[in-house]
């Protein structure tokens, strides 16, 4: 029997890969809006950059008060993307225009 091993990869890498492979396909949808994988990667990166600029650090808690909406998914993913240090290339790379 061969063990199946899956490498753990950083969340930003997974989002980037999904955006590249599945670009215009719907990632999430609610009754008011839908977001593609490309949009999700872009919007999540922007929000993560804003959270870091506001002082969110890796390992800290963040409260997200949204219902079952696309923005809730984006917010959770963005909060999970806070780098271990808010200074350096990782933090800069999060905030894209």
């Amino acid at each position: 029997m061969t063990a199946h091993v899956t490498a753990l990869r950083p969340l930003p890498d997974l989002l980037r890969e999904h955006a590249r492979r599945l670009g215009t396909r719907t990632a999430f949808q609610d009754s008011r809006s839908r977001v593609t994988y490309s949009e999700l990667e872009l919007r999540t990166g922007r929000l993560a950059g804003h959270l870091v600029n506001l002082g969110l650090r890796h390992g800290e808690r963040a409260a997200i008060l949204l219902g079952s909406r696309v923005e809730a998914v984006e917010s959770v993913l963005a909060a999970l993307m806070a780098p271990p240090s808010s200074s350096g290339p990782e933090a800069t790379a999060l905030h894209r225009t």
Side-chain angles (χ1 to χ4, degrees):
M1 183 184 306
T2 305
H4 179 71
V5 178
T6 303
L8 295 177
R9 296 176 49 205
L11 182 59
D13 292 351
L14 292 172
L15 283 174
R16 196 172 304 112
E17 180 183 327
H18 278 76
R20 181 186 56 76
R21 284 189 314 113
L22 304 170
T24 59
R25 294 184 66 188
T26 300
F28 292 98
Q29 182 173 343
D30 62 29
S31 61
R32 295 187 294 172
S33 62
R34 73 183 261 292
V35 63
T36 66
Y37 284 95
S38 292
E39 293 167 336
L40 179 66
E41 195 246 345
L42 179 67
R43 290 166 55 114
T44 300
R46 282 183 182 163
L47 181 54
H50 289 303
L51 292 173
V52 167
N53 288 339
L54 289 171
L56 182 66
R57 304 293 183 258
H58 182 76
E60 291 183 333
R61 294 183 178 127
I64 298 169
L65 302 173
L66 294 169
S68 182
R69 299 172 41 186
V70 167
E71 293 84 0
V73 174
E74 293 170 347
S75 299
V76 169
L77 292 173
L80 291 172
M81 290 171 61
S85 170
S86 65
S87 61
E90 311 90 25
T92 305
L94 288 175
H95 189 100
R96 287 177 255 153
T97 57

